[in-house]
PDB file of all heavy atoms in Angstrom:
ATOM      1  N   THR A  96      97.846  97.957  91.104  1.00  0.00           N
ATOM      2  CA  THR A  96      97.527  97.479  89.755  1.00  0.00           C
ATOM      3  C   THR A  96      98.663  97.874  88.829  1.00  0.00           C
ATOM      4  O   THR A  96      98.979  99.061  88.690  1.00  0.00           O
ATOM      5  CB  THR A  96      96.193  98.070  89.266  1.00  0.00           C
ATOM      6  OG1 THR A  96      95.160  97.630  90.160  1.00  0.00           O
ATOM      7  CG2 THR A  96      95.863  97.583  87.869  1.00  0.00           C
ATOM      8  N   LEU A  97      99.306  96.848  88.241  1.00  0.00           N
ATOM      9  CA  LEU A  97     100.385  97.061  87.283  1.00  0.00           C
ATOM     10  C   LEU A  97      99.757  97.212  85.906  1.00  0.00           C
ATOM     11  O   LEU A  97      99.022  96.329  85.458  1.00  0.00           O
ATOM     12  CB  LEU A  97     101.354  95.880  87.315  1.00  0.00           C
ATOM     13  CG  LEU A  97     101.955  95.556  88.684  1.00  0.00           C
ATOM     14  CD1 LEU A  97     102.828  94.311  88.589  1.00  0.00           C
ATOM     15  CD2 LEU A  97     102.723  96.736  89.237  1.00  0.00           C
ATOM     16  N   LEU A  98     100.047  98.317  85.257  1.00  0.00           N
ATOM     17  CA  LEU A  98      99.438  98.631  83.969  1.00  0.00           C
ATOM     18  C   LEU A  98     100.445  98.491  82.839  1.00  0.00           C
ATOM     19  O   LEU A  98     101.618  98.853  82.988  1.00  0.00           O
ATOM     20  CB  LEU A  98      98.912 100.068  83.984  1.00  0.00           C
ATOM     21  CG  LEU A  98      97.884 100.374  85.065  1.00  0.00           C
ATOM     22  CD1 LEU A  98      97.675 101.864  85.183  1.00  0.00           C
ATOM     23  CD2 LEU A  98      96.582  99.665  84.769  1.00  0.00           C
ATOM     24  N   THR A  99      99.980  97.977  81.717  1.00  0.00           N
ATOM     25  CA  THR A  99     100.801  97.832  80.532  1.00  0.00           C
ATOM     26  C   THR A  99      99.931  98.004  79.291  1.00  0.00           C
ATOM     27  O   THR A  99      98.721  97.796  79.354  1.00  0.00           O
ATOM     28  CB  THR A  99     101.504  96.455  80.505  1.00  0.00           C
ATOM     29  OG1 THR A  99     102.308  96.354  79.331  1.00  0.00           O
ATOM     30  CG2 THR A  99     100.517  95.297  80.542  1.00  0.00           C
ATOM     31  N   ALA A 100     100.560  98.368  78.196  1.00  0.00           N
ATOM     32  CA  ALA A 100      99.842  98.489  76.927  1.00  0.00           C
ATOM     33  C   ALA A 100      99.742  97.135  76.221  1.00  0.00           C
ATOM     34  O   ALA A 100      98.999  97.000  75.257  1.00  0.00           O
ATOM     35  CB  ALA A 100     100.541  99.501  76.027  1.00  0.00           C
ATOM     36  N   THR A 101     100.461  96.144  76.706  1.00  0.00           N
ATOM     37  CA  THR A 101     100.495  94.822  76.085  1.00  0.00           C
ATOM     38  C   THR A 101      99.092  94.230  75.967  1.00  0.00           C
ATOM     39  O   THR A 101      98.312  94.284  76.920  1.00  0.00           O
ATOM     40  CB  THR A 101     101.372  93.875  76.933  1.00  0.00           C
ATOM     41  OG1 THR A 101     102.645  94.494  77.117  1.00  0.00           O
ATOM     42  CG2 THR A 101     101.541  92.536  76.277  1.00  0.00           C
ATOM     43  N   LYS A 102      98.791  93.651  74.817  1.00  0.00           N
ATOM     44  CA  LYS A 102      97.457  93.070  74.594  1.00  0.00           C
ATOM     45  C   LYS A 102      97.222  91.817  75.425  1.00  0.00           C
ATOM     46  O   LYS A 102      96.154  91.624  75.975  1.00  0.00           O
ATOM     47  CB  LYS A 102      97.277  92.743  73.107  1.00  0.00           C
ATOM     48  CG  LYS A 102      97.045  93.964  72.254  1.00  0.00           C
ATOM     49  CD  LYS A 102      96.755  93.568  70.807  1.00  0.00           C
ATOM     50  CE  LYS A 102      96.508  94.776  69.944  1.00  0.00           C
ATOM     51  NZ  LYS A 102      97.711  95.366  69.411  1.00  0.00           N
ATOM     52  N   ASP A 103      98.222  90.942  75.513  1.00  0.00           N
ATOM     53  CA  ASP A 103      98.075  89.686  76.245  1.00  0.00           C
ATOM     54  C   ASP A 103      98.746  89.825  77.615  1.00  0.00           C
ATOM     55  O   ASP A 103      99.958  89.649  77.743  1.00  0.00           O
ATOM     56  CB  ASP A 103      98.692  88.534  75.452  1.00  0.00           C
ATOM     57  CG  ASP A 103      98.378  87.177  76.052  1.00  0.00           C
ATOM     58  OD1 ASP A 103      98.039  87.108  77.263  1.00  0.00           O
ATOM     59  OD2 ASP A 103      98.468  86.177  75.325  1.00  0.00           O
ATOM     60  N   LEU A 104      97.952  90.148  78.621  1.00  0.00           N
ATOM     61  CA  LEU A 104      98.496  90.392  79.961  1.00  0.00           C
ATOM     62  C   LEU A 104      99.288  89.215  80.505  1.00  0.00           C
ATOM     63  O   LEU A 104     100.288  89.403  81.187  1.00  0.00           O
ATOM     64  CB  LEU A 104      97.370  90.738  80.930  1.00  0.00           C
ATOM     65  CG  LEU A 104      96.745  92.118  80.762  1.00  0.00           C
ATOM     66  CD1 LEU A 104      95.547  92.261  81.690  1.00  0.00           C
ATOM     67  CD2 LEU A 104      97.758  93.199  81.025  1.00  0.00           C
ATOM     68  N   GLY A 105      98.858  88.004  80.202  1.00  0.00           N
ATOM     69  CA  GLY A 105      99.532  86.816  80.725  1.00  0.00           C
ATOM     70  C   GLY A 105     100.930  86.621  80.186  1.00  0.00           C
ATOM     71  O   GLY A 105     101.724  85.885  80.767  1.00  0.00           O
ATOM     72  N   LEU A 106     101.236  87.272  79.079  1.00  0.00           N
ATOM     73  CA  LEU A 106     102.559  87.156  78.458  1.00  0.00           C
ATOM     74  C   LEU A 106     103.323  88.473  78.529  1.00  0.00           C
ATOM     75  O   LEU A 106     104.180  88.753  77.692  1.00  0.00           O
ATOM     76  CB  LEU A 106     102.419  86.725  76.985  1.00  0.00           C
ATOM     77  CG  LEU A 106     101.761  85.365  76.757  1.00  0.00           C
ATOM     78  CD1 LEU A 106     101.585  85.098  75.277  1.00  0.00           C
ATOM     79  CD2 LEU A 106     102.574  84.258  77.416  1.00  0.00           C
ATOM     80  N   SER A 107     103.042  89.265  79.557  1.00  0.00           N
ATOM     81  CA  SER A 107     103.642  90.597  79.665  1.00  0.00           C
ATOM     82  C   SER A 107     104.608  90.691  80.838  1.00  0.00           C
ATOM     83  O   SER A 107     104.621  89.843  81.730  1.00  0.00           O
ATOM     84  CB  SER A 107     102.536  91.637  79.853  1.00  0.00           C
ATOM     85  OG  SER A 107     101.976  91.516  81.154  1.00  0.00           O
ATOM     86  N   GLN A 108     105.394  91.771  80.849  1.00  0.00           N
ATOM     87  CA  GLN A 108     106.265  92.034  81.988  1.00  0.00           C
ATOM     88  C   GLN A 108     105.444  92.278  83.241  1.00  0.00           C
ATOM     89  O   GLN A 108     105.881  91.981  84.346  1.00  0.00           O
ATOM     90  CB  GLN A 108     107.220  93.200  81.715  1.00  0.00           C
ATOM     91  CG  GLN A 108     106.595  94.578  81.712  1.00  0.00           C
ATOM     92  CD  GLN A 108     106.039  94.967  80.355  1.00  0.00           C
ATOM     93  OE1 GLN A 108     105.907  94.142  79.467  1.00  0.00           O
ATOM     94  NE2 GLN A 108     105.718  96.245  80.202  1.00  0.00           N
ATOM     95  N   ALA A 109     104.229  92.798  83.092  1.00  0.00           N
ATOM     96  CA  ALA A 109     103.364  93.022  84.256  1.00  0.00           C
ATOM     97  C   ALA A 109     103.049  91.691  84.947  1.00  0.00           C
ATOM     98  O   ALA A 109     103.041  91.613  86.172  1.00  0.00           O
ATOM     99  CB  ALA A 109     102.079  93.736  83.844  1.00  0.00           C
ATOM    100  N   ALA A 110     102.830  90.638  84.163  1.00  0.00           N
ATOM    101  CA  ALA A 110     102.556  89.319  84.742  1.00  0.00           C
ATOM    102  C   ALA A 110     103.782  88.791  85.484  1.00  0.00           C
ATOM    103  O   ALA A 110     103.664  88.216  86.572  1.00  0.00           O
ATOM    104  CB  ALA A 110     102.135  88.338  83.655  1.00  0.00           C
ATOM    105  N   VAL A 111     104.962  88.981  84.908  1.00  0.00           N
ATOM    106  CA  VAL A 111     106.200  88.542  85.566  1.00  0.00           C
ATOM    107  C   VAL A 111     106.379  89.302  86.879  1.00  0.00           C
ATOM    108  O   VAL A 111     106.649  88.710  87.921  1.00  0.00           O
ATOM    109  CB  VAL A 111     107.420  88.743  84.638  1.00  0.00           C
ATOM    110  CG1 VAL A 111     108.715  88.403  85.367  1.00  0.00           C
ATOM    111  CG2 VAL A 111     107.279  87.908  83.366  1.00  0.00           C
ATOM    112  N   LEU A 112     106.199  90.623  86.827  1.00  0.00           N
ATOM    113  CA  LEU A 112     106.335  91.447  88.037  1.00  0.00           C
ATOM    114  C   LEU A 112     105.333  91.047  89.106  1.00  0.00           C
ATOM    115  O   LEU A 112     105.675  90.938  90.293  1.00  0.00           O
ATOM    116  CB  LEU A 112     106.140  92.915  87.701  1.00  0.00           C
ATOM    117  CG  LEU A 112     107.296  93.626  87.011  1.00  0.00           C
ATOM    118  CD1 LEU A 112     106.857  95.001  86.546  1.00  0.00           C
ATOM    119  CD2 LEU A 112     108.487  93.729  87.952  1.00  0.00           C
TER     120      LEU A 112
END
Side-chain angles (χ1 to χ4, degrees):
T96 299
L97 304 176
L98 302 167
T99 180
T101 306
K102 285 185 179 86
D103 189 339
L104 287 174
L106 298 176
S107 71
Q108 73 273 13
V111 175
L112 284 171

